[in-house]
Amino acid sequence: MRYLLTRSSCAVVLFSLVSISSGCSTPPSGQQPQTHQVDIIGMKFQPAELTVNKGDTVIFTNKDILTHNVTEQNYKKWASAPLLSNQSYKMAVKESADYYCSFHPVMKGKLVVK
Ligand SMILES: [Cu+2]
């Protein structure tokens, strides 16, 4: 019994060492660009607020029958083309932004760069 316990605690130590060393050799997962999805459903951006890292990609997909777009709200810095049903708009996020659909200004969303 004592032997078994020793063996299992050794395994735990080994596992921890492997985790630590792999953590050192690869950059933290937060540094890798990620791709996020925002769906447009029922006249809403979902999720309406999304937190990303700078350089991450966001893909907006229009799952409504209506045509929508994605437009930066305060300065019109960027905007998608009109998105027909099932069309997508892909963008790399450089900074936080409030955005909306210029066809339906009640539709609002927010990107927050950490
Ligand atoms: Cu719209």
Side-chain angles (χ1 to χ4, degrees):
M1 194 57 187
R2 180 179 289 273
Y3 174 74
L4 276 176
L5 279 173
T6 310
R7 277 290 291 249
S8 61
S9 57
C10 268
V12 169
V13 170
L14 259 178
F15 179 75
S16 310
L17 283 174
V18 168
S19 309
I20 290 164
S21 60
S22 66
C24 289
S25 60
T26 54
S29 59
Q31 300 294 317
Q32 307 276 4
Q34 295 181 333
T35 299
H36 308 266
Q37 306 280 342
V38 174
D39 290 337
I40 306 171
I41 304 176
M43 301 274 291
K44 284 180 180 152
F45 294 102
Q46 297 190 0
E49 181 169 337
L50 182 66
T51 301
V52 304
N53 288 304
K54 188 174 181 176
D56 282 2
T57 296
V58 178
I59 300 174
F60 297 87
T61 302
N62 181 9
K63 297 193 173 176
D64 271 352
I65 296 168
L66 292 167
T67 297
H68 296 294
N69 69 15
V70 189
T71 304
E72 194 279 325
Q73 189 173 356
N74 298 315
Y75 308 100
K76 312 289 185 288
K77 282 184 183 173
W78 48 264
S80 72
L83 298 176
L84 304 178
S85 188
N86 288 315
Q87 286 186 331
S88 293
Y89 173 61
K90 182 176 172 180
M91 63 173 275
V93 183
K94 296 181 188 135
E95 58 190 2
S96 299
D98 295 319
Y99 63 85
Y100 76 132
C101 169
S102 68
F103 302 133
H104 314 103
V106 293
M107 295 174 57
K108 290 179 181 176
K110 193 181 185 78
L111 295 173
V112 179
V113 173
K114 276 188 252 188

